[in-house]
Amino acid sequence: MLAAEAGASRNTLSAYETDLRGSSAALEGELASAQRADLERLGAGWAHLARSTVARKSAALRRFFGFLADEGLRDDDPSAALPRPGGGRPLPKTLSHADIARMFEALDREVATRKPLAFRMAALIELLYGSGMRASELVSLPRAAVRQGSPFLILTGKGGRERLVPISDRALAAVEKWRNHVPGDARWLFPSGKKHLSRIRLYQLVKELAVKAGIPPDRVSPHVLRHAFATHLLEGGADLRTLQTLLGHADIATTQIYTHVDSARLVALVNARHPLVDAPGSEA
C-alpha cells in the first residue's frame, strides 16, 4: 500500500519495515493482534530513545493499524495507545558561510593534487551544496544526468515526484572534470563496483572533508549541506515557496522548519529599511 498508493520512497519503505519487524519481534510475532495494553508496554520500552525515533516508530505502527482497519482485517485500531512525543520540530543543523568557505578551501587543496577521486569529491560537494539534493538522489544520478551547458536537471525524488534542480556553472565544471574519469559504459555518474556510490560512503567522504577543513565531523553530513543550501538561500532573499520547489518538499509545512531564518531576515529588513528608522525619537 505504501509503495503503490502512497508513493513512498525506498528509504521510507525500508524504515517502516525495520520498525514493524522490530515491534513484531518485541511482541513475539503478535503485532497484528496487539491490544492497547500491548502497545502501551511497547511504547514504554522506547523511553530511552530520542523523541524523533519514538515519533517515527509510532507513526509506522499507526499507519500499520490504520491499514489493517481499512482492509477489514481488524474491527478496531489500538494505535491511540502509542506515545506521541510532544514538543516542536527541532531546527535543522546547518553550517555558517565561514564553515562552507573552509570546506571549499580544503576541497581546493584536494583538487590541486589532480587525483581522480579528488575530482569526484569536488563534484559531490558542488552538487550537494549548490543544488540541495538529497544524498540518495545524488549518488544515484545517471552518468548523463548533468549535461554541459544545461543549467538544470530533472530529478525524481520522494514519492516519484519530479522537480527541476538548478546546477551552477561551478557544479557543471566540477562534474565535467570528474566525468572524464568515469568509464564511458558506466550507468552512474558516481559508479562504485557494479552499482553506484552508497549513501553511507558519501556520508563518510563528507565527514573526511570536514576533518580536513578543521570542522568537527559530527557537525557535517550530506543532509547538513542540504540544510546549508536552504538556509543560505533564505538569507540571500529566497522565499519559502521557491525553497519548497527546490528541495522537493510535497508540503510547505516541511519547508517551514526554515522560517526561523526567514523571520530573522524580515526583522533585519524592517530595522534597516522601515521609513521610521531614521525618524526623530526612533531610538526611544
Side-chain angles (χ1 to χ4, degrees):
M1 183 276 290
L2 285 173
E5 297 180 18
S9 70
R10 184 172 55 186
N11 293 337
T12 298
L13 294 175
S14 177
Y16 269 62
E17 180 180 6
T18 298
D19 288 335
L20 291 176
R21 288 188 181 279
S23 298
S24 180
L27 295 177
E28 300 180 347
E30 301 296 325
L31 178 61
S33 58
Q35 301 302 312
R36 287 181 61 93
D38 300 317
L39 296 187
E40 286 173 355
R41 287 195 301 274
L42 183 65
W46 299 340
H48 65 288
L49 300 176
R51 186 174 60 195
S52 58
T53 301
V54 174
R56 190 199 70 228
K57 288 179 176 292
S58 291
L61 292 184
R62 280 195 293 272
R63 196 70 177 263
F64 174 66
F65 286 109
F67 169 78
L68 294 181
D70 290 343
E71 295 295 313
L73 300 173
R74 283 192 67 140
D75 296 328
D76 64 332
D77 181 349
S79 64
L82 291 164
R84 290 179 178 271
R89 188 169 183 175
L91 296 179
K93 289 183 180 179
T94 188
L95 296 168
S96 68
H97 290 277
D99 291 330
I100 291 295
R102 288 161 67 188
M103 288 194 70
F104 275 93
E105 286 169 4
L107 192 60
D108 289 342
R109 292 193 293 271
E110 292 292 303
V111 170
T113 66
R114 305 199 63 77
K115 295 178 180 179
L117 291 184
F119 291 130
R120 183 183 72 175
M121 191 73 241
L124 289 167
I125 298 298
E126 289 284 359
L127 289 172
L128 270 177
Y129 177 65
S131 67
M133 290 186 199
R134 297 179 178 93
S136 57
E137 295 170 341
L138 175 61
V139 297
S140 61
L141 282 175
R143 188 182 189 278
V146 182
R147 294 173 296 174
Q148 191 64 26
S150 178
F152 62 85
L153 59 83
I154 299 176
L155 273 184
T156 302
K158 285 187 175 182
R161 294 183 294 272
E162 289 188 341
R163 74 181 192 276
L164 288 179
V165 175
I167 305 295
S168 68
D169 290 341
R170 284 176 55 110
L172 285 172
V175 167
E176 203 57 33
K177 288 180 180 178
W178 161 240
R179 191 156 38 203
N180 291 333
H181 299 278
V182 178
D185 60 351
R187 179 181 177 184
W188 314 106
L189 180 58
F190 301 105
S192 179
K194 294 182 179 180
K195 298 182 179 181
H196 55 68
L197 189 72
S198 70
R199 289 186 303 144
I200 296 299
R201 184 58 185 143
L202 175 62
Y203 184 90
Q204 293 169 340
L205 290 171
V206 169
K207 289 195 174 292
E208 289 172 9
L209 181 63
V211 171
K212 292 175 182 177
I215 301 172
D218 62 338
R219 292 184 52 218
V220 185
S221 71
H223 208 61
V224 169
L225 286 172
R226 174 173 158 87
H227 285 317
F229 161 82
T231 301
H232 296 167
L233 274 183
L234 273 178
E235 290 174 350
D239 60 84
L240 286 175
R241 283 293 180 186
T242 299
L243 200 60
Q244 178 190 5
T245 300
L246 293 176
L247 294 175
H249 291 160
D251 190 340
I252 188 65
T254 307
T255 318
Q256 284 173 343
I257 59 173
Y258 297 103
T259 54
H260 70 292
V261 178
D262 206 33
S263 298
R265 179 172 63 84
L266 290 174
V267 169
L269 181 64
V270 169
N271 287 335
R273 304 291 179 85
H274 194 280
L276 294 181
V277 168
D278 296 323
S282 61
E283 296 181 358

